[in-house]
Amino acid sequence: QVQLVESGGGLVQAGGSLRLSCAASGTIFSINAVRWYRQAPGKQRELVAGITSSGTTNYADSVKGRFTISRDSAKNTMYLQMSSLKPEDTAVYYCNADVRRLGYYMDHQYWGQGTQVTVSS
């Protein structure tokens, strides 16, 4: 099996920074595309940022210039560095990854359990 575990969420004042981590474990052969999503109360889950296995990144317009997605393939860990945080960034943040398991020929998508980020004004 594969598990994704997020950490690094918390309460921060507007203008502050947080770094979220997503550690993958299990019978992993490779991790391909990785994404961070968020879901605020009463809203749909939205894509925040993504990064491919080759390092190509994409961001939602609302976070461009403030958030940076990265990965450490040796550690099977992905990150979301969040700066200049705003109250509207308050949400539960989820990591999502396309994982090739050992002995499998197709990627499967996995989700973490989520980590709460609260930005106070």
Side-chain angles (χ1 to χ4, degrees), residues 29-43:
F29 176 74
S30 64
I31 299 175
N32 297 310
V34 176
R35 307 161 197 89
W36 285 94
Y37 285 81
R38 67 185 180 188
Q39 187 166 19
K43 294 189 176 182

Side-chain angles (χ1 to χ4, degrees), residues 19-73:
R19 188 175 83 153
L20 305 183
S21 299
C22 174
S25 62
T27 54
I28 297 169
F29 176 74
S30 64
I31 299 175
N32 297 310
V34 176
R35 307 161 197 89
W36 285 94
Y37 285 81
R38 67 185 180 188
Q39 187 166 19
K43 294 189 176 182
Q44 288 190 329
R45 191 172 295 190
E46 63 172 349
L47 178 64
V48 175
I51 184 168
T52 67
S53 56
S54 60
T56 301
T57 59
N58 64 281
Y59 298 92
D61 287 343
S62 58
V63 307
K64 277 181 184 175
R66 301 188 298 121
F67 289 13
T68 302
I69 188 171
S70 62
R71 60 194 296 168
D72 184 334
S73 296

Side-chain angles (χ1 to χ4, degrees), residues 16 33 36 52 63 73 89 100 102 109 118:
W36 285 94
T52 67
V63 307
S73 296
D89 294 319
R100 181 75 56 87
L102 290 169
Q109 205 172 89
T118 303

Side-chain angles (χ1 to χ4, degrees), residues 2-23:
V2 172
Q3 285 189 321
L4 302 181
V5 178
E6 299 103 333
S7 60
L11 174 63
V12 64
Q13 287 190 330
S17 299
L18 282 174
R19 188 175 83 153
L20 305 183
S21 299
C22 174

